[in-house]
Each structure stands twice: as structure tokens, then as C-alpha cells.
Amino acid sequence: MSQVDDRPSLPLFLTEPARATADLGLLLAAGPLLRRLPGGDGHPVLVLPGLLADDGSTRLLRTVLGGLGYDVHGWRLGRNVGPTALAVDGMRERLEQLHHRHDRPVTVIGWSLGGIYARDLARRTPHAVRQVITLGSPFRMASVDQTRVHRAFDHYSHLHVERRSLPLEGGPLPVPSTSVYSRYDGIVHWSCCLETPGPRAENIAVQASHLGLGHHPAVVYAVADRLAQAEGAWQPFRAPGVLRPAFPRPDLPASAASAAAA
């Protein structure tokens, strides 16, 4: 059973919409800074939405990244109601299509449930994935209590063609991976979003709401920084000095923290 402190904060959950609106305001205020983001190399980027969301939820992020020079795509599969046959088959086809069209591996960005999909794609077709970036994705969830939306997910379970047991997953991905998470997430508990840091795996902490992870300026900056790395030359994220207050020191998953203390 999950401990009480593993549940997303109820006050944070209830204030998610208001805080997401404030996060959007921060992005608008950071306009001059965003104009200094590094330009892209044109490689393809696939952005996957969270539970009950569609491509409309990722439009702003995709617009910003497209403006930097990337060939950015939504998933074009409607509303995300879980791993239906349409979603599972459609994501694989979309990824392979982009990979073959560009003859280059694709960066896959997934928000919340979309990040779990992104990691699945990287495990199944690593040749087609350049890197994975997840935004508030509970890929280490060990209990349904660690998310406030498990009932919404279960509501559509009769349509799902894939079933998962808890804990969801472990072990490094075969491609570089970045997990962006927030201790102020009111929908997913931050602890189940933590990657085990390694040569090609990292966590980036931000101070955003869950619903604001697709447009908070710190997230946009971090994603643009990750995308701008040369293919095959991945390095861990390092915030410039002036922006360090926007990026708290990242946490370690419990297993890694215990090993570090031993």
C-alpha cells in the first residue's frame, strides 16, 4: 500500500487549474528569454498528450519548438483514454512514419501518461528514437494512490489492449532519457516520476503545476536545451547560473538515494 505522503497533495490538486494559468502567464512574461533559446537541427519530434487530453493540449509547446527549427508533430489520435488499439498501433505507426520520412531517429516527448507511452516506444523500437523526454510521467508508479486520476484511467479500461502491473517499470532505457518533474504536481506524486541517474539518464526538477508542464518557461527551456544537443553527444542538463533558481536540485529515487547513503 502507498503511504499517505506518497499521495499527491489535495491542496495542490484543487489549485491545479489556477496554477496552470499562472504558469502560462510566466511563459508570456518570459517572451524575451524564449527568443534566446538555441535553434534546432530540424530533426523530427513527436509529442504525446496526457490522459484525457489531445493534441490541443500540446499545441503551445509544439509551436514553440517548431519555431526553433524542429519538425514537430502531434500524435493525431484524438483524445488519450489509455492504451487502446488505436493508440498503441497508431503511435508505433506514427513513429515509424516519421523515422522513415526523415531517415533520422525521433525525439519523443510525453506528458504524463504520454511519457509512459514514450518510454514504451523507446524500448520497443530504439532504432527509431533519438531520446525520450517525459513531463510529469509516473513511470515508476507503485500504487494507484500516487495519482489522482486512476479512476478516470480505469473508467476506460474495457477499451485497453494492454494491461500493466505495479510497479510499472524499472531499468534504464536503451536511449537517452530526461524526466522533468515537479514537487508541486497535484495530479501525480513527484516521487514516481524519478529516473535513476546514469550516463544517459537524468531528472530535471521544476516548480510547475502538472497541468502547466507543457508551457511553464522552465520546462520549455529544459526541453529546448535537450533537443539542441548533437545526435550521439548527449550530456546531462546544466542550468546556466542566472536560471539556477528555476531548477531546484533534482531528487533521487529511493533505491538510488539508499545506495548513495550506504
Side-chain angles (χ1 to χ4, degrees):
M1 294 292 291
S2 173
Q3 300 298 317
V4 171
D5 60 3
D6 284 338
R7 296 176 182 176
S9 161
L10 181 58
L12 288 179
F13 173 66
L14 295 175
T15 57
E16 274 285 338
R19 291 187 297 116
T21 300
D23 291 339
L24 178 58
L26 289 174
L27 182 69
L28 298 176
L33 174 64
L34 297 180
R35 286 194 287 271
R36 298 191 177 189
L37 292 174
D41 62 358
H43 81 263
V45 178
L46 175 62
V47 186
L48 308 177
L51 180 65
L52 303 184
D54 58 18
D55 283 334
S57 67
T58 66
R59 183 175 292 115
L60 182 53
L61 178 61
R62 288 186 287 115
T63 298
V64 173
L65 299 180
L68 295 176
Y70 300 99
D71 189 39
V72 189
H73 301 268
W75 80 334
R76 297 183 182 175
L77 296 170
R79 192 158 64 114
N80 181 1
V81 296
T84 63
L86 174 65
V88 172
D89 295 338
M91 283 186 292
R92 294 176 188 170
E93 292 172 5
R94 190 90 167 104
L95 176 64
E96 291 288 1
Q97 177 191 59
L98 294 174
H99 179 227
H100 289 307
R101 180 192 304 172
H102 293 267
D103 196 26
R104 302 175 70 180
V106 181
T107 288
V108 185
I109 301 173
W111 191 349
S112 199
L113 178 60
I116 294 174
Y117 296 158
R119 292 175 67 91
D120 285 348
L121 289 171
R123 292 189 190 281
R124 290 167 174 164
T125 53
H127 67 281
V129 178
R130 175 165 169 161
Q131 65 177 319
V132 167
I133 303 172
T134 58
L135 311 179
S137 297
F139 53 84
R140 288 197 184 279
M141 189 169 69
S143 165
V144 295
D145 289 339
Q146 291 178 303
T147 173
R148 293 276 178 184
V149 294
H150 68 273
R151 288 186 177 85
F153 181 85
D154 290 344
H155 179 74
Y156 295 96
S157 62
H158 63 288
L159 300 175
H160 299 168
V161 295
E162 293 184 345
R163 308 293 172 181
R164 299 174 183 272
S165 59
L166 299 177
L168 285 183
E169 67 161 84
L173 293 184
V175 302
S177 61
T178 297
S179 174
V180 181
Y181 76 97
S182 172
R183 276 180 168 260
Y184 299 94
D185 192 319
I187 293 178
V188 169
H189 195 272
W190 59 270
S191 65
C192 58
C193 303
L194 296 180
E195 179 69 277
T196 299
R200 299 194 302 170
E202 66 180 346
N203 300 300
I204 299 177
V206 295
Q207 301 173 73
S209 64
H210 185 87
L211 297 178
L213 284 167
H215 54 252
H216 189 281
V219 178
V220 173
Y221 181 91
V223 170
D225 178 88
R226 303 292 78 200
L227 292 178
Q229 298 180 101
E231 187 174 349
W234 190 90
Q235 293 292 326
F237 178 74
R238 295 288 183 270
V242 69
L243 294 181
R244 283 177 189 164
F247 297 97
R249 184 181 181 88
D251 297 275
L252 291 173
S255 56
S258 297

